[in-house]
Amino acid sequence: MAVSRRLLTNARLATLTANGAAHGLIDDGALVIDGDRIAWAGTANELPAAYASLAGEDLDGRLVTSGLIDCHTHVVFGGNRAREFEMRLEGASYEEVARAGGGIVSTVKATRAADEDTLLASALARVDALIAEGVTTIEIKSGYGLDRDTELRMLRVARRIGRERRIHVKTTFLGAHAVPAEYKGRSSAYLDEVCLPALEAAHAEGLVDAVDGFCEGIAFSRDEIARVFEKARGLGLPVKLHAEQLSDLGGTALAASYGALSADHLEYLDEAGVKAMAKSGSVAVLLPGAFYTLRETQYPPLELLRQHKVPVALATDCNPGSSPLASLLLTMNMGCTLFRMTPEEALAGVTREAARALGLGDRGTLEAGKRADLAIWNVDHPAELSYRIGFNSLEKRIFGGSE
Ligand code: DI6
Ligand code: FE
């Protein structure tokens, strides 16, 4: 049962607020939780008298961060693509596999064949791996149904995950992820007859928090994505986009023109696209798991994103094809080692900026008023979270003020 007021003492706080220190670090910190919120966070010797009588929980110098946020996942899907992994090792490219009827379309087949409980069970195994690393908020996309019933089923499973586990789930409708086999060469008809009506139905059932698409040669054109975004706008839903992952189609600029919460992947993004994001305030969500899996050699334009002050988030992109990755800690390491992000950027990328990519203003930093979703780590310094590979130093996870 939740204790309504708690005092954490002898804590090192990576607040990620603009307090002048790297990571917003407070070495000799204390943090007060009231209900599901942070009531106060700061230096121990400045603890307000009103909280001084609370029995403190001594963290023995451990690091406290916001609970981690995985802001781009496809954790709900049927089957797996280990065979395709083998094919790629034998020399086939991701696009060749997709054009040969593998890729996303093969997961669609397996997802359509799976009932709700089966999808739930397999997704929970992945979500549990994330929870074990201190993840407290996760975004989950549809997009492996590509028919009305299966798209809705995926989103219902996503909502169920938020009831079965102590984790916040934000759902994203990704009906424009791929053209299903039965509409091959007729992507426009797919949008008219399936995708847009499914979005409307899912929204009517309260299943949609945002709308996404895949703007790419093997998926949908800019004009087609614009039609999906128009529909989202009509329904009052925010948008985001898989953009500039394999080529530069100008999807990011389109997304920015719709005030997108985020544009994701971005390896082929140019400076005009970066500027468009800066203007719209969209978050750049980098997905090093996909970069790694596809052995991409084109790097996302991190330096340009920094120069134009575009917020950068990091996410797993957990999916069966291009990123079978269920570790946000490894994602942070990859963000640093592959993309040359700093550990501070990586931590902000899975907390503060990930919250922003989901339009969530109530979490992601340690400050009064924010949700008391916390991760307590057996490390001395926040850089250790990004530095280790395949090692989970989580001591404790606090969700809405309680374990
Ligand atoms: N880009 C990706 O990396 C994933 N979806 C997308 O639009 C890949 C999905 C898959 O291969 O199953
Ligand atoms: Fe994705």
Side-chain angles (χ1 to χ4, degrees), residues 72 74 77 81 84 88 94 98 102-108 141 143-144 174 176-178 212-216 218-219 241-243 245-246 264-265 287 289-291 294 317-323:
H72 179 143
H74 311 245
F77 58 83
R81 305 241 289 277
E84 177 178 317
R88 287 207 312 274
Y94 182 69
I104 294 175
V105 169
S106 75
T107 296
V108 169
K141 301 177 195 295
Y144 288 119
L174 180 56
H177 192 197
D212 194 352
F214 188 18
C215 187
E216 195 57 68
I218 54 170
L241 189 65
H242 288 68
Q245 180 186 6
L246 308 171
D264 304 37
H265 285 289
L287 304 165
F291 177 94
L294 302 180
D317 196 17
C318 181
N319 76 63
S322 66
S323 191

Side-chain angles (χ1 to χ4, degrees), residues 4-242:
S4 87
R5 262 177 156 197
R6 297 171 70 169
L7 168 64
L8 309 181
T9 62
N10 199 5
R12 195 157 297 178
L13 307 178
T15 65
L16 291 175
T17 58
N19 67 1
H23 298 93
L25 201 64
I26 298 175
D27 273 322
D28 183 18
L31 187 144
V32 179
I33 297 170
D34 194 347
D36 65 359
R37 299 281 150 170
I38 297 171
W40 187 86
T43 306
N45 63 18
E46 290 170 3
L47 182 71
Y51 302 126
S53 62
L54 291 172
E57 300 167 45
D58 188 334
L59 296 190
D60 205 17
R62 289 190 180 88
L63 180 74
V64 182
T65 67
S66 292
L68 305 189
I69 299 171
D70 195 349
C71 67
H72 179 143
T73 87
H74 311 245
V75 291
V76 175
F77 58 83
N80 72 72
R81 305 241 289 277
R83 173 60 197 134
E84 177 178 317
F85 176 64
E86 287 187 312
M87 277 171 69
R88 287 207 312 274
L89 285 167
E90 288 154 12
S93 75
Y94 182 69
E95 279 164 296
E96 281 163 1
V97 168
R99 291 191 194 282
I104 294 175
V105 169
S106 75
T107 296
V108 169
K109 220 170 162 183
T111 305
R112 286 179 179 175
D115 65 17
E116 205 175 299
D117 288 341
T118 306
L119 289 175
L120 179 69
S122 70
L124 280 176
R126 294 180 275 274
V127 170
D128 286 341
L130 292 166
I131 286 174
E133 289 187 343
V135 172
T136 48
T137 298
I138 183 175
E139 184 258 16
I140 302 177
K141 301 177 195 295
S142 71
Y144 288 119
L146 310 182
D147 65 30
R148 178 192 153 115
D149 285 357
T150 316
E151 286 294 305
L152 267 64
R153 186 156 77 250
M154 288 183 72
L155 293 168
R156 284 187 206 112
V157 169
R159 287 276 190 247
R160 271 179 76 185
I161 289 168
R163 296 193 292 270
E164 301 259 343
R165 293 293 187 270
R166 301 191 73 220
I167 190 166
H168 293 282
V169 173
K170 293 290 270 185
T171 57
T172 301
F173 178 83
L174 180 56
H177 192 197
V179 181
E182 64 274 20
Y183 279 92
K184 200 169 178 193
R186 296 187 299 131
S187 50
S188 189
Y190 167 71
L191 291 181
D192 286 330
E193 292 165 21
V194 180
C195 181
L196 300 178
L199 169 54
E200 211 167 303
H203 174 66
E205 213 179 296
L207 293 172
V208 185
D209 297 327
V211 175
D212 194 352
F214 188 18
C215 187
E216 195 57 68
I218 54 170
F220 295 92
S221 70
R222 261 176 68 117
D223 288 350
E224 289 168 333
I225 295 295
R227 296 184 51 209
V228 177
F229 285 178
E230 279 300 321
K231 184 77 182 179
R233 180 178 273 173
L235 298 172
L237 292 168
V239 301
K240 33 182 63 229
L241 189 65
H242 288 68

